[in-house]
Amino acid sequence: MNLISVLKSLSNGSVLILDTSIKQEEYCTIDLSSENPELLTIAISNPNLCQTYIDQVLEKNKAKVAFGGYLEKRNLYTSSSRFSEGKDRNIHLGMDFWCAAGTKVITPIAGKVHSFKNNNDSGNYGPTIILEHTAETISFYTLYGHLSLESLKGLYRGKEFSKGETLATLGTPDINVNYAPHLHFQIIQVIGEFKGDYPGVCNKNDLSFYKDNCPDPNLLFKL
């Protein structure tokens, strides 16, 4: 059995990753890609303007959470030099859940803490937690980025979290390094020497590698 098969087998139906008081019908999709014509006149890398657009999408869909973004090519990162050093990185490798700051993040599958870190340089994740999982003898990792500082308190390597347990809360723009509040969730097959961090955006030349190493989170969520 490979990781793709394992992820598909971990749930029979939809898995929700935020506060359980938010129902599945209150989730909606959002397109933040560079191909979305609605974003042509919006400086989406500005967190206030990004939030305004997110709020419009939520209101239109009568929703509380807007999600999506796996392998989206985005203009969201143009204001940060960390994504333009060498080859431009603009392809998003995780799944984002845009929701109010302070919203609880729920562990979608049981795991233990691999590492955690406040990645507080410009354009990064801010407070980040990585969990380690084993299912059907397959080991893999899940990354949770753009959290609150309080989310890192009391953590230690090996701390266990059950499925459905509160893992963290979402951070504000001043803490999550200038993004509108959201959760960046990413699945990682081989993490190497990374601790508390892992690339969440890649350039087109490296896409084949990262697509294989970071499969679509919706294989798990089934949203």
Side-chain angles (χ1 to χ4, degrees), residues 11 68 179 184 198 200:
S11 62
Y179 291 101
H184 173 97
Y198 189 84

Side-chain angles (χ1 to χ4, degrees), residues 5 37 58 113 127 148 169 181-182 206:
S5 300
L58 292 174
V113 174
S148 66
T169 55
H182 71 290
D206 295 331

